[in-house]
Amino acid sequence: NANANVTIDLGTSAVSGNNGGTPSFNNIPFSVKAGELTLVGGVISSTGDAYDADGEIMNNVILVDGATLNVKDSKIDASGSSIPLAFSEAKATLTNVEIVANDNVVQPSNGSEVLLKNCKIECAYLGVFSSSSGGAASVVTIEGGTYHATTSNLLGVHGGSIVVKDGTFNCDNAEKTLKFYNVTGGKIVI
């Protein structure tokens, strides 16, 4: 409920949303709909195949809708997956989190506020994507850490904002480091 405040110390444990390899929309280890969830330590992954409406693999590792999330000193392993961290009308703080994924690694929408503090993101395509998705503009603030994309589009906005205060950024395809999708209202501040 809205007053819930749950902390889970995962230590060195691994938590997976694997659904036995069966395609499903329900391979999400953590789905937060209200209140506040804090995750500390551990490895969180989604290894089952989940498909979006277009048939693309979309393994949400953490889905936050109208709630608050804090993740600290954890690893999120969603190798080959898209949109492992999805936020809608949410607040999130990720501190010292390593994230390995394919595309749209951190994707807030509808007025979400996300703070990345000393995180490490390794991805193929889009590391951080901020959008409005028809609602209020979302904001991602980056304070330190390393961010690397092997193919393209390390930072992207669609009606949202990304504020970079500090960090190391590298895209193997230097021409595609920053991406604007329908630039109305979208901005990247460095």
Side-chain angles (χ1 to χ4, degrees):
N1 61 45
N3 297 319
N5 190 335
V6 177
T7 298
I8 301 174
D9 187 343
L10 296 170
T12 59
S13 300
V15 176
S16 173
N18 192 350
N19 195 21
T22 304
S24 168
F25 287 98
N26 301 310
N27 296 346
I28 304 170
F30 294 100
S31 180
V32 188
K33 302 286 185 182
E36 182 171 350
L37 173 64
T38 299
L39 301 170
V40 181
V43 177
I44 308 162
S45 62
S46 185
T47 57
D49 292 331
Y51 296 99
D52 66 12
D54 298 320
E56 299 292 324
I57 294 175
M58 183 186 73
N59 288 353
N60 297 134
V61 175
I62 301 175
L63 175 62
V64 184
D65 188 357
T68 299
L69 172 74
N70 305 297
V71 182
K72 183 177 179 183
D73 302 325
S74 298
K75 178 175 182 180
I76 295 172
D77 186 356
S79 304
S81 300
S82 296
I83 319 178
L85 295 168
F87 306 100
S88 180
E89 297 179 11
K91 290 189 178 187
T93 300
L94 285 75
T95 306
N96 301 322
V97 176
E98 179 182 354
I99 307 167
V100 179
N102 186 42
D103 191 10
N104 284 23
V105 177
V106 175
Q107 181 173 313
S109 64
N110 297 318
S112 294
E113 298 175 14
V114 177
L115 174 60
L116 303 174
K117 295 175 69 173
N118 299 315
C119 292
K120 177 181 180 182
I121 291 179
E122 287 285 337
C123 63
Y125 297 100
L126 189 53
V128 178
F129 178 65
S130 184
S131 96
S132 57
S133 293
S138 296
V139 178
V140 177
T141 302
I142 298 173
E143 295 180 355
T146 59
Y147 305 83
H148 176 239
T150 58
T151 306
S152 68
N153 304 344
L154 183 59
L155 304 177
V157 294
H158 179 287
S161 300
I162 297 175
V163 178
V164 178
K165 294 185 176 181
D166 191 17
T168 301
F169 302 85
N170 179 276
C171 183
D172 291 354
N173 187 338
E175 295 177 0
K176 295 187 175 183
T177 301
L178 309 178
K179 175 77 173 184
F180 291 91
Y181 303 81
N182 296 335
V183 295
T184 304
K187 63 183 178 180
I188 298 175
V189 180
I190 299 175

